[in-house]
Amino acid sequence: MPPTLYEPNPRLVSSKLLARRELVPIPHLNVFAAAWIQFMVHDWLSHGPNDRADPHLFPIPEGDDWPDQTMEVLRTSRISPTSHRPR
């Protein structure tokens, strides 16, 4: 049987691959640059409104520092193909 959307657990993958083990200083970059980049990424990309009725619920692996037993990620709302036609 092929793996499902939640296999492997997305939280486990992100904590193993993306967690910072140590701070690597970058002398020419500051906190303002990081904040600006995050701001811009949120401005560049949008999947539209989120659907609060049916979120993805990921179980949190044992020993994880996430405050709840599950992580909730809202799904992107389905949009009719005719509602966003290019002009």
Side-chain angles (χ1 to χ4, degrees), residues 19-40:
R20 222 178 251 183
R21 307 286 184 255
E22 62 185 64
L23 177 63
V24 179
I26 302 174
H28 57 275
L29 196 65
N30 62 33
V31 176
F32 293 117
W36 179 253
I37 291 167
Q38 177 148 2
F39 170 77
M40 292 306 294

Side-chain angles (χ1 to χ4, degrees), residues 14-58:
S14 69
S15 65
K16 295 292 182 191
L17 293 179
L18 303 176
R20 222 178 251 183
R21 307 286 184 255
E22 62 185 64
L23 177 63
V24 179
I26 302 174
H28 57 275
L29 196 65
N30 62 33
V31 176
F32 293 117
W36 179 253
I37 291 167
Q38 177 148 2
F39 170 77
M40 292 306 294
V41 167
H42 284 269
D43 193 39
W44 293 332
L45 179 68
S46 173
H47 294 290
N50 293 323
D51 182 6
R52 297 185 175 276
D54 184 26
H56 291 285
L57 297 173
F58 300 103

Side-chain angles (χ1 to χ4, degrees), residues 11 14-15 58-73:
R11 175 66 181 175
S14 69
S15 65
F58 300 103
I60 299 301
E62 188 175 325
D64 193 300
D65 61 356
W66 189 256
D68 297 319
Q69 298 275 328
T70 58
M71 178 183 286
E72 180 177 304
V73 178

